[in-house]
Amino acid sequence: QVQLVESGGGLVQTGNSLRLSCAASGLTFRRYAMGWFRQAPGKEREFVAGISWSGGSTSYADSVKGRFTISRDNAKNTVYLQMNSLKPEDTAVYYCAARPNAATRNDYEYAYWGQGTQVTVSS
């Protein structure tokens, strides 16, 4: 049974940082690309960042480029999202997701999802 478990969310002030983690089990992690998505209240889920199975290729939404960094540790079956210079508009539930082969920006192409972790940025 595949499980993705996010952690690291919380309440922070504008300009501060958080690091989210997503621990995977039940799959051969190194064969999966990983993505981070988020959903704010009343809004559709949106792509945040993606990383290839090797970690050699990453992509970001324009809204987070230069502030967020996605990385992975295949030895620990974990993907991370380092979030710096947080803004109130970053407030959302953050989800990690896994799919075979290459990462994409389309949530419907991901096979497995975590339960999400809340990030709240106060102004």
mmCIF file with all atom_site columns, all heavy atoms in Angstrom, residues 32-47:
data_model
loop_
_atom_site.group_PDB
_atom_site.id
_atom_site.type_symbol
_atom_site.label_atom_id
_atom_site.label_alt_id
_atom_site.label_comp_id
_atom_site.label_asym_id
_atom_site.label_entity_id
_atom_site.label_seq_id
_atom_site.pdbx_PDB_ins_code
_atom_site.Cartn_x
_atom_site.Cartn_y
_atom_site.Cartn_z
_atom_site.occupancy
_atom_site.B_iso_or_equiv
_atom_site.pdbx_formal_charge
_atom_site.auth_seq_id
_atom_site.auth_comp_id
_atom_site.auth_asym_id
_atom_site.auth_atom_id
_atom_site.pdbx_PDB_model_num
ATOM 1   N N   . TYR A 1 32 ? 9.980   7.194  -9.147  1.00 0.00 ? 32 TYR A N   1
ATOM 2   C CA  . TYR A 1 32 ? 8.854   8.105  -9.238  1.00 0.00 ? 32 TYR A CA  1
ATOM 3   C C   . TYR A 1 32 ? 9.301   9.566  -9.223  1.00 0.00 ? 32 TYR A C   1
ATOM 4   O O   . TYR A 1 32 ? 10.144  9.959  -8.413  1.00 0.00 ? 32 TYR A O   1
ATOM 5   C CB  . TYR A 1 32 ? 7.889   7.888  -8.077  1.00 0.00 ? 32 TYR A CB  1
ATOM 6   C CG  . TYR A 1 32 ? 7.028   6.668  -8.244  1.00 0.00 ? 32 TYR A CG  1
ATOM 7   C CD1 . TYR A 1 32 ? 7.542   5.395  -8.021  1.00 0.00 ? 32 TYR A CD1 1
ATOM 8   C CD2 . TYR A 1 32 ? 5.699   6.794  -8.643  1.00 0.00 ? 32 TYR A CD2 1
ATOM 9   C CE1 . TYR A 1 32 ? 6.738   4.276  -8.193  1.00 0.00 ? 32 TYR A CE1 1
ATOM 10  C CE2 . TYR A 1 32 ? 4.901   5.674  -8.812  1.00 0.00 ? 32 TYR A CE2 1
ATOM 11  C CZ  . TYR A 1 32 ? 5.429   4.426  -8.593  1.00 0.00 ? 32 TYR A CZ  1
ATOM 12  O OH  . TYR A 1 32 ? 4.634   3.321  -8.757  1.00 0.00 ? 32 TYR A OH  1
ATOM 13  N N   . ALA A 1 33 ? 8.704   10.323 -10.133 1.00 0.00 ? 33 ALA A N   1
ATOM 14  C CA  . ALA A 1 33 ? 8.801   11.771 -10.026 1.00 0.00 ? 33 ALA A CA  1
ATOM 15  C C   . ALA A 1 33 ? 7.848   12.232 -8.933  1.00 0.00 ? 33 ALA A C   1
ATOM 16  O O   . ALA A 1 33 ? 6.837   11.575 -8.652  1.00 0.00 ? 33 ALA A O   1
ATOM 17  C CB  . ALA A 1 33 ? 8.434   12.415 -11.358 1.00 0.00 ? 33 ALA A CB  1
ATOM 18  N N   . MET A 1 34 ? 8.165   13.352 -8.328  1.00 0.00 ? 34 MET A N   1
ATOM 19  C CA  . MET A 1 34 ? 7.370   13.873 -7.227  1.00 0.00 ? 34 MET A CA  1
ATOM 20  C C   . MET A 1 34 ? 6.957   15.306 -7.507  1.00 0.00 ? 34 MET A C   1
ATOM 21  O O   . MET A 1 34 ? 7.693   16.077 -8.126  1.00 0.00 ? 34 MET A O   1
ATOM 22  C CB  . MET A 1 34 ? 8.169   13.819 -5.925  1.00 0.00 ? 34 MET A CB  1
ATOM 23  C CG  . MET A 1 34 ? 8.631   12.433 -5.519  1.00 0.00 ? 34 MET A CG  1
ATOM 24  S SD  . MET A 1 34 ? 7.274   11.313 -5.169  1.00 0.00 ? 34 MET A SD  1
ATOM 25  C CE  . MET A 1 34 ? 6.538   12.087 -3.728  1.00 0.00 ? 34 MET A CE  1
ATOM 26  N N   . GLY A 1 35 ? 5.784   15.630 -7.012  1.00 0.00 ? 35 GLY A N   1
ATOM 27  C CA  . GLY A 1 35 ? 5.300   16.996 -7.168  1.00 0.00 ? 35 GLY A CA  1
ATOM 28  C C   . GLY A 1 35 ? 4.722   17.518 -5.872  1.00 0.00 ? 35 GLY A C   1
ATOM 29  O O   . GLY A 1 35 ? 4.281   16.749 -5.019  1.00 0.00 ? 35 GLY A O   1
ATOM 30  N N   . TRP A 1 36 ? 4.768   18.828 -5.725  1.00 0.00 ? 36 TRP A N   1
ATOM 31  C CA  . TRP A 1 36 ? 4.072   19.512 -4.643  1.00 0.00 ? 36 TRP A CA  1
ATOM 32  C C   . TRP A 1 36 ? 2.971   20.367 -5.286  1.00 0.00 ? 36 TRP A C   1
ATOM 33  O O   . TRP A 1 36 ? 3.218   21.097 -6.256  1.00 0.00 ? 36 TRP A O   1
ATOM 34  C CB  . TRP A 1 36 ? 5.011   20.406 -3.848  1.00 0.00 ? 36 TRP A CB  1
ATOM 35  C CG  . TRP A 1 36 ? 5.910   19.687 -2.898  1.00 0.00 ? 36 TRP A CG  1
ATOM 36  C CD1 . TRP A 1 36 ? 7.212   19.331 -3.100  1.00 0.00 ? 36 TRP A CD1 1
ATOM 37  C CD2 . TRP A 1 36 ? 5.575   19.233 -1.577  1.00 0.00 ? 36 TRP A CD2 1
ATOM 38  N NE1 . TRP A 1 36 ? 7.709   18.684 -1.989  1.00 0.00 ? 36 TRP A NE1 1
ATOM 39  C CE2 . TRP A 1 36 ? 6.729   18.621 -1.037  1.00 0.00 ? 36 TRP A CE2 1
ATOM 40  C CE3 . TRP A 1 36 ? 4.425   19.299 -0.793  1.00 0.00 ? 36 TRP A CE3 1
ATOM 41  C CZ2 . TRP A 1 36 ? 6.758   18.070 0.250   1.00 0.00 ? 36 TRP A CZ2 1
ATOM 42  C CZ3 . TRP A 1 36 ? 4.451   18.760 0.491   1.00 0.00 ? 36 TRP A CZ3 1
ATOM 43  C CH2 . TRP A 1 36 ? 5.608   18.149 0.992   1.00 0.00 ? 36 TRP A CH2 1
ATOM 44  N N   . PHE A 1 37 ? 1.791   20.267 -4.696  1.00 0.00 ? 37 PHE A N   1
ATOM 45  C CA  . PHE A 1 37 ? 0.647   21.063 -5.114  1.00 0.00 ? 37 PHE A CA  1
ATOM 46  C C   . PHE A 1 37 ? 0.075   21.753 -3.891  1.00 0.00 ? 37 PHE A C   1
ATOM 47  O O   . PHE A 1 37 ? 0.392   21.379 -2.762  1.00 0.00 ? 37 PHE A O   1
ATOM 48  C CB  . PHE A 1 37 ? -0.430  20.166 -5.751  1.00 0.00 ? 37 PHE A CB  1
ATOM 49  C CG  . PHE A 1 37 ? -0.016  19.558 -7.069  1.00 0.00 ? 37 PHE A CG  1
ATOM 50  C CD1 . PHE A 1 37 ? 0.816   18.453 -7.112  1.00 0.00 ? 37 PHE A CD1 1
ATOM 51  C CD2 . PHE A 1 37 ? -0.467  20.092 -8.257  1.00 0.00 ? 37 PHE A CD2 1
ATOM 52  C CE1 . PHE A 1 37 ? 1.212   17.900 -8.319  1.00 0.00 ? 37 PHE A CE1 1
ATOM 53  C CE2 . PHE A 1 37 ? -0.088  19.547 -9.480  1.00 0.00 ? 37 PHE A CE2 1
ATOM 54  C CZ  . PHE A 1 37 ? 0.755   18.445 -9.506  1.00 0.00 ? 37 PHE A CZ  1
ATOM 55  N N   . ARG A 1 38 ? -0.769  22.739 -4.115  1.00 0.00 ? 38 ARG A N   1
ATOM 56  C CA  . ARG A 1 38 ? -1.423  23.402 -2.991  1.00 0.00 ? 38 ARG A CA  1
ATOM 57  C C   . ARG A 1 38 ? -2.829  23.806 -3.375  1.00 0.00 ? 38 ARG A C   1
ATOM 58  O O   . ARG A 1 38 ? -3.142  23.993 -4.551  1.00 0.00 ? 38 ARG A O   1
ATOM 59  C CB  . ARG A 1 38 ? -0.620  24.616 -2.532  1.00 0.00 ? 38 ARG A CB  1
ATOM 60  C CG  . ARG A 1 38 ? -0.568  25.767 -3.526  1.00 0.00 ? 38 ARG A CG  1
ATOM 61  C CD  . ARG A 1 38 ? 0.372   26.859 -3.027  1.00 0.00 ? 38 ARG A CD  1
ATOM 62  N NE  . ARG A 1 38 ? 0.420   28.002 -3.949  1.00 0.00 ? 38 ARG A NE  1
ATOM 63  C CZ  . ARG A 1 38 ? 1.258   29.029 -3.809  1.00 0.00 ? 38 ARG A CZ  1
ATOM 64  N NH1 . ARG A 1 38 ? 2.121   29.064 -2.786  1.00 0.00 ? 38 ARG A NH1 1
ATOM 65  N NH2 . ARG A 1 38 ? 1.236   30.007 -4.685  1.00 0.00 ? 38 ARG A NH2 1
ATOM 66  N N   . GLN A 1 39 ? -3.650  23.924 -2.352  1.00 0.00 ? 39 GLN A N   1
ATOM 67  C CA  . GLN A 1 39 ? -5.027  24.348 -2.555  1.00 0.00 ? 39 GLN A CA  1
ATOM 68  C C   . GLN A 1 39 ? -5.429  25.312 -1.460  1.00 0.00 ? 39 GLN A C   1
ATOM 69  O O   . GLN A 1 39 ? -5.422  24.949 -0.277  1.00 0.00 ? 39 GLN A O   1
ATOM 70  C CB  . GLN A 1 39 ? -5.979  23.154 -2.594  1.00 0.00 ? 39 GLN A CB  1
ATOM 71  C CG  . GLN A 1 39 ? -7.392  23.519 -2.994  1.00 0.00 ? 39 GLN A CG  1
ATOM 72  C CD  . GLN A 1 39 ? -8.231  22.308 -3.331  1.00 0.00 ? 39 GLN A CD  1
ATOM 73  O OE1 . GLN A 1 39 ? -7.951  21.189 -2.918  1.00 0.00 ? 39 GLN A OE1 1
ATOM 74  N NE2 . GLN A 1 39 ? -9.282  22.525 -4.106  1.00 0.00 ? 39 GLN A NE2 1
ATOM 75  N N   . ALA A 1 40 ? -5.755  26.507 -1.864  1.00 0.00 ? 40 ALA A N   1
ATOM 76  C CA  . ALA A 1 40 ? -6.236  27.527 -0.939  1.00 0.00 ? 40 ALA A CA  1
ATOM 77  C C   . ALA A 1 40 ? -7.755  27.458 -0.867  1.00 0.00 ? 40 ALA A C   1
ATOM 78  O O   . ALA A 1 40 ? -8.400  26.968 -1.800  1.00 0.00 ? 40 ALA A O   1
ATOM 79  C CB  . ALA A 1 40 ? -5.787  28.903 -1.407  1.00 0.00 ? 40 ALA A CB  1
ATOM 80  N N   . PRO A 1 41 ? -8.344  27.957 0.211   1.00 0.00 ? 41 PRO A N   1
ATOM 81  C CA  . PRO A 1 41 ? -9.809  27.921 0.342   1.00 0.00 ? 41 PRO A CA  1
ATOM 82  C C   . PRO A 1 41 ? -10.502 28.606 -0.832  1.00 0.00 ? 41 PRO A C   1
ATOM 83  O O   . PRO A 1 41 ? -10.143 29.719 -1.220  1.00 0.00 ? 41 PRO A O   1
ATOM 84  C CB  . PRO A 1 41 ? -10.055 28.692 1.647   1.00 0.00 ? 41 PRO A CB  1
ATOM 85  C CG  . PRO A 1 41 ? -8.798  28.527 2.418   1.00 0.00 ? 41 PRO A CG  1
ATOM 86  C CD  . PRO A 1 41 ? -7.699  28.514 1.405   1.00 0.00 ? 41 PRO A CD  1
ATOM 87  N N   . GLY A 1 42 ? -11.454 27.901 -1.423  1.00 0.00 ? 42 GLY A N   1
ATOM 88  C CA  . GLY A 1 42 ? -12.212 28.459 -2.523  1.00 0.00 ? 42 GLY A CA  1
ATOM 89  C C   . GLY A 1 42 ? -11.507 28.477 -3.864  1.00 0.00 ? 42 GLY A C   1
ATOM 90  O O   . GLY A 1 42 ? -12.030 29.025 -4.832  1.00 0.00 ? 42 GLY A O   1
ATOM 91  N N   . LYS A 1 43 ? -10.314 27.880 -3.908  1.00 0.00 ? 43 LYS A N   1
ATOM 92  C CA  . LYS A 1 43 ? -9.543  27.880 -5.148  1.00 0.00 ? 43 LYS A CA  1
ATOM 93  C C   . LYS A 1 43 ? -9.251  26.450 -5.597  1.00 0.00 ? 43 LYS A C   1
ATOM 94  O O   . LYS A 1 43 ? -9.321  25.515 -4.803  1.00 0.00 ? 43 LYS A O   1
ATOM 95  C CB  . LYS A 1 43 ? -8.234  28.648 -4.971  1.00 0.00 ? 43 LYS A CB  1
ATOM 96  C CG  . LYS A 1 43 ? -8.428  30.130 -4.710  1.00 0.00 ? 43 LYS A CG  1
ATOM 97  C CD  . LYS A 1 43 ? -7.100  30.859 -4.729  1.00 0.00 ? 43 LYS A CD  1
ATOM 98  C CE  . LYS A 1 43 ? -7.295  32.356 -4.562  1.00 0.00 ? 43 LYS A CE  1
ATOM 99  N NZ  . LYS A 1 43 ? -5.996  33.088 -4.622  1.00 0.00 ? 43 LYS A NZ  1
ATOM 100 N N   . GLU A 1 44 ? -8.903  26.310 -6.856  1.00 0.00 ? 44 GLU A N   1
ATOM 101 C CA  . GLU A 1 44 ? -8.533  25.004 -7.368  1.00 0.00 ? 44 GLU A CA  1
ATOM 102 C C   . GLU A 1 44 ? -7.114  24.646 -6.918  1.00 0.00 ? 44 GLU A C   1
ATOM 103 O O   . GLU A 1 44 ? -6.294  25.518 -6.638  1.00 0.00 ? 44 GLU A O   1
ATOM 104 C CB  . GLU A 1 44 ? -8.614  24.997 -8.897  1.00 0.00 ? 44 GLU A CB  1
ATOM 105 C CG  . GLU A 1 44 ? -10.021 25.143 -9.448  1.00 0.00 ? 44 GLU A CG  1
ATOM 106 C CD  . GLU A 1 44 ? -10.076 24.943 -10.942 1.00 0.00 ? 44 GLU A CD  1
ATOM 107 O OE1 . GLU A 1 44 ? -9.003  24.824 -11.569 1.00 0.00 ? 44 GLU A OE1 1
ATOM 108 O OE2 . GLU A 1 44 ? -11.187 24.918 -11.501 1.00 0.00 ? 44 GLU A OE2 1
ATOM 109 N N   . ARG A 1 45 ? -6.867  23.361 -6.892  1.00 0.00 ? 45 ARG A N   1
ATOM 110 C CA  . ARG A 1 45 ? -5.523  22.888 -6.573  1.00 0.00 ? 45 ARG A CA  1
ATOM 111 C C   . ARG A 1 45 ? -4.569  23.318 -7.683  1.00 0.00 ? 45 ARG A C   1
ATOM 112 O O   . ARG A 1 45 ? -4.904  23.233 -8.870  1.00 0.00 ? 45 ARG A O   1
ATOM 113 C CB  . ARG A 1 45 ? -5.539  21.370 -6.416  1.00 0.00 ? 45 ARG A CB  1
ATOM 114 C CG  . ARG A 1 45 ? -4.226  20.780 -5.934  1.00 0.00 ? 45 ARG A CG  1
ATOM 115 C CD  . ARG A 1 45 ? -4.433  19.358 -5.445  1.00 0.00 ? 45 ARG A CD  1
ATOM 116 N NE  . ARG A 1 45 ? -5.044  18.502 -6.447  1.00 0.00 ? 45 ARG A NE  1
ATOM 117 C CZ  . ARG A 1 45 ? -5.499  17.280 -6.190  1.00 0.00 ? 45 ARG A CZ  1
ATOM 118 N NH1 . ARG A 1 45 ? -5.427  16.789 -4.969  1.00 0.00 ? 45 ARG A NH1 1
ATOM 119 N NH2 . ARG A 1 45 ? -6.034  16.550 -7.155  1.00 0.00 ? 45 ARG A NH2 1
ATOM 120 N N   . GLU A 1 46 ? -3.379  23.768 -7.298  1.00 0.00 ? 46 GLU A N   1
ATOM 121 C CA  . GLU A 1 46 ? -2.422  24.248 -8.285  1.00 0.00 ? 46 GLU A CA  1
ATOM 122 C C   . GLU A 1 46 ? -1.044  23.637 -8.064  1.00 0.00 ? 46 GLU A C   1
ATOM 123 O O   . GLU A 1 46 ? -0.658  23.302 -6.944  1.00 0.00 ? 46 GLU A O   1
ATOM 124 C CB  . GLU A 1 46 ? -2.317  25.783 -8.239  1.00 0.00 ? 46 GLU A CB  1
ATOM 125 C CG  . GLU A 1 46 ? -1.780  26.338 -6.946  1.00 0.00 ? 46 GLU A CG  1
ATOM 126 C CD  . GLU A 1 46 ? -1.576  27.849 -6.996  1.00 0.00 ? 46 GLU A CD  1
ATOM 127 O OE1 . GLU A 1 46 ? -1.811  28.471 -8.054  1.00 0.00 ? 46 GLU A OE1 1
ATOM 128 O OE2 . GLU A 1 46 ? -1.165  28.416 -5.959  1.00 0.00 ? 46 GLU A OE2 1
ATOM 129 N N   . PHE A 1 47 ? -0.335  23.535 -9.162  1.00 0.00 ? 47 PHE A N   1
ATOM 130 C CA  . PHE A 1 47 ? 1.025   23.024 -9.143  1.00 0.00 ? 47 PHE A CA  1
ATOM 131 C C   . PHE A 1 47 ? 1.943   24.026 -8.456  1.00 0.00 ? 47 PHE A C   1
ATOM 132 O O   . PHE A 1 47 ? 1.834   25.234 -8.672  1.00 0.00 ? 47 PHE A O   1
ATOM 133 C CB  . PHE A 1 47 ? 1.488   22.787 -10.582 1.00 0.00 ? 47 PHE A CB  1
ATOM 134 C CG  . PHE A 1 47 ? 2.938   22.473 -10.742 1.00 0.00 ? 47 PHE A CG  1
ATOM 135 C CD1 . PHE A 1 47 ? 3.407   21.191 -10.493 1.00 0.00 ? 47 PHE A CD1 1
ATOM 136 C CD2 . PHE A 1 47 ? 3.839   23.450 -11.149 1.00 0.00 ? 47 PHE A CD2 1
ATOM 137 C CE1 . PHE A 1 47 ? 4.751   20.896 -10.651 1.00 0.00 ? 47 PHE A CE1 1
ATOM 138 C CE2 . PHE A 1 47 ? 5.178   23.157 -11.314 1.00 0.00 ? 47 PHE A CE2 1
ATOM 139 C CZ  . PHE A 1 47 ? 5.640   21.875 -11.063 1.00 0.00 ? 47 PHE A CZ  1
#
